[in-house]
Amino acid sequence: MDKTPSRLIAKPSWLLGQVAVHAHRLASDGFGEMGARGYHYRILAALDEFGAASQAELGRRCSMDRSDVVAALNELAEQGFVERAPDPDDRRRNIVTLTEAGHRQLQRMDRALDKVQDDLLEPLAAKDRQTLIRLLTQLLAHHQRG
């Protein structure tokens, strides 16, 4: 950072953006090693935690655009990680469920993402990591209230 203007280094928005680029790269590389993507993780995690859902619900829960949800679900269904079936209450809508294979994939992805977190936060002590997570959570909650 010795060639970065001091004005930038002092700005949290710039620092957060730079760290976000590295975090995204680490996560993409970690998931890529297992033939997966971040969108897959979001969807599998939502299905595991909240149960079966419509594609629209998954988009809202995962903060994903509808077309990205459909593309990711196509990939996940092709690999047997999710199943889609018409909603019995509204045949125009699909309900997505997590398969046992999808649950196992989510566990593998959890381990990969845990390693990413360790790599990303390597220079921070455990207490500092907890403080960073608390502060980022507080910032996100504030801005999501909007």
Side-chain angles (χ1 to χ4, degrees), residues 117-137:
Q117 305 313 299
D118 287 339
D119 292 347
L120 179 67
L121 302 176
E122 183 179 353
L124 301 180
K127 184 178 178 182
D128 292 336
R129 290 177 184 203
Q130 291 171 348
T131 299
L132 177 64
I133 291 167
R134 181 180 54 77
L135 292 171
L136 289 172
T137 301

Side-chain angles (χ1 to χ4, degrees), residues 45-121:
L47 290 171
D48 184 61
E49 187 167 337
F50 301 112
S54 70
Q55 293 176 179
E57 246 180 309
L58 286 170
R60 287 188 295 276
R61 284 189 179 142
C62 299
S63 299
M64 291 172 61
D65 183 79
R66 179 174 296 171
S67 63
D68 292 328
V69 171
V70 171
L73 285 174
N74 287 342
E75 294 164 357
L76 291 168
E78 191 175 285
Q79 297 173 69
F81 298 147
V82 300
E83 291 177 345
R84 287 185 279 201
D87 184 339
D89 297 329
D90 183 351
R91 308 289 280 165
R92 297 169 295 169
R93 179 169 62 183
N94 282 322
I95 296 296
V96 182
T97 55
L98 182 66
T99 65
E100 187 54 42
H103 182 73
R104 288 191 302 273
Q105 175 71 348
L106 177 59
Q107 290 175 323
R108 287 188 293 272
M109 293 180 82
D110 276 334
R111 288 190 295 275
L113 195 54
D114 287 345
K115 183 181 180 327
V116 165
Q117 305 313 299
D118 287 339
D119 292 347
L120 179 67
L121 302 176

Side-chain angles (χ1 to χ4, degrees), residues 24-36 108-109 112-113 116:
H24 187 269
R25 181 186 48 79
L26 289 169
S28 291
D29 290 351
F31 289 150
E33 290 175 10
M34 55 189 356
R108 287 188 293 272
M109 293 180 82
L113 195 54
V116 165

